[in-house]
Amino acid sequence: MTPGTTDLVLGIETSCDETAAAVVDRGAVVRSSVVSSQVELHARYGGVVPELAGRAHLERLTGVVAEALERADVGEPRQLRAVAVTYGPGLVGSLLVGLAGAKALSMAWDVPLVGVNHLEGHLFAALLERPDLRWPLVVLLVSGGHTILVRMDGPGRYRVLGQTLDDAAGEAYDKVARYLGLGYPGGPALDRAAADGDPTAFAFPRALLADGYDFSFSGLKTSVVRTVERHPDAATADVAASFQQAVTDVLVAKARRAVADVGASGLCLAGGVAANSLLRRVATEACAADGVDVYLPSLAMCTDNAAMVAAAGWWRLSSDGPSPLSLGAAPNLALPQLR
């Protein structure tokens, strides 16, 4: 087998605090996916410490890549078509570790390098599990760093409908969870606490609920703090449930309206917050009521992983060709859009 005659792509993801590598065949079949989490490393600080994250990537990347190749039964570099790597957005130190590793492998193995936009990777996560997706779709991409509504007409064909004007939804979850003393990571901890609470206990604001497709969550976060100050005996579960309901109401209302306005076949959730139990349930119920499809990624595909990077890289290589070895980290990279 000669280089370029295979459709196996090695993906590498180090944009934040997950060191991940995966091998994907033809951009659709996951042969292996390995994720090394840094949750325990950052838990004592209540959030991701960029310098520690970068050092951990440096220590773990080689082993994670080796494990991904072994699980995929890739014995020789010539079995790979390319090495795909996230080059943004994300923490610059973390991105640089992944980029340096991918470039070294690309040069040593004489296979193309493909830079992948992390946000586009999340859009490809759904395709890995549901290749039968019908276009156009509205994708609600919700994570610790981003809250974006995207019209997706196919791979590489995107238009941003709206996005957060301040805090991302996942960032609001983390900050509120930290304030309530629920631990880290905040999203899952708050989701668990909310399960025992009353979502109608507090009437938190739903900013911009009926206005366009942009989001704002900073005021909601502040409202939680002020409410707890006024009601120090309030049950934490009730505060968590009321906060989570407010976030979900806004996310689903805007996504639902976008699906109708676009004439989309359905709604797809993406990103770490897509793992939230209430968001998944309410989105499913709303789409059923509206007679459209809903696509919920598995929990493993919601969080950062390298399979989605490999899938997006396979498509980008076929569409745009390889990236130059001079490719640099782009911590503020935006989702590519059709003009």
Side-chain angles (χ1 to χ4, degrees):
M1 184 183 300
T2 58
T5 63
T6 174
D7 275 322
L8 295 180
V9 172
L10 169 66
I12 294 175
E13 158 64 30
T14 63
S15 65
C16 189
D17 62 336
E18 310 281 15
T19 310
V23 176
V24 173
D25 191 3
R26 300 184 304 280
V29 180
V30 181
R31 295 275 293 269
S32 69
S33 181
V34 179
V35 179
S36 177
S37 173
Q38 298 181 17
V39 167
E40 291 186 6
L41 177 64
H42 300 286
R44 72 182 72 176
Y45 306 104
V48 177
V49 180
E51 183 176 355
L52 294 181
R55 290 179 181 177
H57 287 310
L58 194 60
E59 295 169 356
R60 302 178 187 189
L61 183 58
T62 299
V64 168
V65 168
E67 184 175 349
L69 294 173
E70 182 179 1
R71 289 188 186 182
D73 196 27
V74 176
E76 299 182 26
R78 61 177 182 159
Q79 292 177 255
L80 296 173
R81 183 181 179 188
V83 177
V85 61
T86 300
Y87 73 102
L91 301 176
V92 64
S94 294
L95 291 168
L96 286 170
V97 174
L99 267 172
K103 289 179 181 181
L105 295 176
S106 171
M107 289 188 290
W109 294 343
D110 193 26
V111 296
L113 174 77
V114 185
V116 171
N117 184 307
H118 180 77
L119 301 177
E120 184 172 37
H122 276 298
L123 301 186
F124 270 80
L127 285 170
L128 282 170
E129 298 179 322
R130 293 291 299 273
D132 59 336
L133 292 179
R134 296 184 297 119
W135 316 111
L137 276 175
V138 167
V139 182
L140 176 61
L141 200 171
V142 201
S143 67
H146 301 88
T147 301
I148 310 174
L149 264 178
V150 181
R151 172 179 174 150
M152 187 173 180
D153 290 290
R157 300 173 63 195
Y158 321 119
R159 183 163 68 88
V160 173
L161 303 175
Q163 55 193 318
T164 185
L165 302 176
D166 39 58
D167 289 352
E171 181 182 2
Y173 264 91
D174 287 340
K175 289 179 177 178
V176 169
R178 186 182 306 122
Y179 177 74
L180 296 177
L182 295 175
Y184 174 85
L190 194 145
D191 194 5
R192 289 191 297 270
D196 298 321
D198 177 4
T200 65
F202 300 99
F204 290 131
R206 275 82 166 155
L208 307 178
L209 182 63
D211 299 332
Y213 294 128
D214 287 332
F215 303 88
S216 173
F217 295 109
S218 63
L220 171 58
K221 174 192 62 182
T222 302
S223 181
V224 171
V225 174
R226 297 292 175 261
T227 297
V228 173
E229 288 175 347
R230 289 194 301 269
H231 304 280
D233 296 329
T236 297
D238 288 347
V239 176
S242 299
F243 164 81
Q244 181 166 260
Q245 189 68 58
V247 173
T248 301
D249 285 350
V250 173
L251 292 175
V252 174
K254 289 178 179 285
R256 194 176 190 177
R257 194 163 65 245
V259 169
D261 291 349
V262 166
S265 67
L267 171 67
C268 178
L269 301 185
V273 181
N276 178 267
S277 62
L278 182 64
L279 177 59
R280 293 169 79 91
R281 176 168 61 81
V282 175
T284 299
E285 292 171 352
C287 288
D290 294 342
V292 296
D293 295 328
V294 63
Y295 303 100
L296 305 179
S298 66
L299 299 186
M301 283 297 162
C302 292
T303 53
D304 290 350
N305 65 87
M308 66 184 194
V309 174
W314 180 86
W315 186 85
R316 279 292 167 191
L317 180 63
S318 302
S319 173
D320 302 340
S323 301
L325 289 174
S326 59
L327 180 70
N332 299 313
L333 187 66
L335 183 71
Q337 298 188 65
L338 289 176
R339 299 298 182 188

